[in-house]
Amino acid sequence: MKLNTDEDRVDAPATPPVSMPTVFEAIVKQQAIAATYNRGSVTLAPHVVYTKHGEFYVDALTLERDGKPPREPKIGAFKIAGLGGMRVTPRRFTRSELFNPKDERYEGVTLLAIEG
C-alpha cells in the first residue's frame, strides 16, 4: 500500500480571481494586459490560462516591465492572484513562436489558450 504524500495530492482549484474575465477577454481578443506585479508595472501578452497546485496562472510574453521592453523575449508564468489592477489595453499581439500549447504542463489543466 502506498501512502499519498503532499506531492501526490491534486488540490481542487481555488475560487477564480475576480480578474479572470479580464484575462479571458485579453486572450480571446489578442490584446495585451497591463497590471502591477511584484510592485512593478508590466504589460503582458497572455497566451494561456491554466491551474497548477489549485491556483490559477497565466503564461504570457512580457512586452514591457516598468515601461521598458525586456532584453530578450520570454514566456513567463504569472500567478493571476498576484497581478493587481489588471486591465485590457488597446495594444494587439500575435501568438509568440515561443508558446507551445502542446507542452505537457498544460495537459488537462488548460482553461483557455490563444489560437493561431
Side-chain angles (χ1 to χ4, degrees):
M1 181 167 107
K2 180 182 176 216
L3 295 175
N4 286 336
T5 65
D6 285 350
E7 287 181 278
D8 295 330
R9 291 189 182 100
V10 177
D11 297 327
T15 303
V18 295
S19 56
M20 189 69 85
T22 304
V23 179
F24 286 165
E25 177 185 353
I27 290 173
V28 170
K29 293 181 175 179
Q30 293 187 1
Q31 288 180 257
I33 53 175
T36 302
Y37 193 73
N38 290 339
R39 292 181 271 183
S41 64
V42 291
T43 303
L44 306 170
H47 281 57
V48 62
V49 175
Y50 60 99
T51 59
K52 180 172 135 183
H53 304 298
E55 299 288 343
F56 295 92
Y57 284 82
V58 59
D59 280 8
L61 181 71
T62 303
L63 302 173
E64 289 182 0
R65 186 176 292 270
D66 294 324
K68 298 176 187 155
R71 285 184 289 231
E72 61 185 68
K74 176 178 124 171
I75 299 272
F78 298 85
K79 194 173 186 179
I80 293 177
L83 291 165
M86 192 183 326
R87 68 190 190 294
V88 177
T89 71
R91 185 173 179 175
R92 310 257 324 152
F93 68 90
T94 57
R95 186 174 125 180
S96 171
E97 292 178 9
L98 299 173
F99 175 64
N100 177 8
K102 295 187 186 332
D103 193 307
E104 109 182 11
R105 72 178 143 186
Y106 305 131
E107 199 172 302
V109 295
T110 297
L111 302 176
L112 181 67
I114 190 170
E115 291 184 4

